Amino acid sequence: MAPPARPDLAEPDEHLIREAEKIAVALGRMFPGLCEVVLHDLRDPDHAVRAIENNLSGRQLGDSATELGLARIADPAYPDVVQNYPNRFPDGRPAKSTSIGIRNADGEYVAALCLNLDVSVLSPLTLTLANLVATDTAHRDQPPETLRDRNARELRRAVEELCARRAATPRSLSREDKRALVRQLHRDGHFDSRDAAQTIADLLGVSRATVYNYAKTTP
């Protein structure tokens, strides 16, 4: 004779689903108006919707399982997580969805936690942000100004780096190399700071007037 049925066998699964409800509610309330979170009880596919937070699809508690939920019920080997797949709400709005299967201690699917992100809200925002951060491509290679403070320390470092490329010290550069160096400093915006010409003159061992003369020949 078969042993009597024990109604408490389903209690661990019920506890698991009640805990998942807390997660569904918390996630939905974290993204109001943006992400719908639905908990499906796969033990009862005809009345699967156990919790729905931030309702964007119009479904109700007790509604039936979706095709994905039925697939999990039919196939225990179905993937635990189906991530970021395209979807649509009943009114046609595009959505990005993720479905997370929840297994009990026996490895059976008992629930699924589904997130449906309304990307129709984000698309205009993305375009707005892209336009906001866009810059004029005409000045991309050579900006007309810099917002940095071109102080003497930075200027000296720039001169030393340019000289190092020629394996020389500032004062040992030839006249043509000094002229080329001044032109490069001018292009890089180092003449924007006060006393830049005098600092460059001191480093190169030339007069301030010579530095200005080199700068004026900048193409």
Side-chain angles (χ1 to χ4, degrees), residues 1-9:
M1 186 174 67
R6 290 179 55 192
D8 60 319
L9 285 177

Side-chain angles (χ1 to χ4, degrees), residues 89-107:
F89 291 109
D91 61 4
R93 283 174 297 161
K96 183 173 78 170
S97 299
T98 291
S99 178
I100 306 165
I102 299 173
R103 299 177 186 266
N104 61 14
D106 296 324

Side-chain angles (χ1 to χ4, degrees), residues 28-107:
R29 293 181 181 178
M30 188 172 180
F31 303 102
L34 186 62
C35 186
E36 175 186 77
V37 185
V38 185
L39 178 65
H40 298 271
D41 184 346
L42 300 183
R43 301 172 304 171
D44 186 6
D46 290 333
H47 308 90
V49 177
R50 177 70 174 260
I52 183 166
E53 189 67 29
N54 199 22
N55 193 334
L56 299 175
S57 64
R59 284 175 291 179
Q60 303 296 324
L61 296 179
D63 281 357
S64 60
T66 63
E67 298 89 343
L68 198 152
L70 295 175
R72 277 204 173 96
I73 294 171
D75 182 10
Y78 199 86
D80 288 335
V81 178
V82 182
Q83 189 91 47
N84 296 334
Y85 58 92
N87 211 338
R88 285 199 175 274
F89 291 109
D91 61 4
R93 283 174 297 161
K96 183 173 78 170
S97 299
T98 291
S99 178
I100 306 165
I102 299 173
R103 299 177 186 266
N104 61 14
D106 296 324

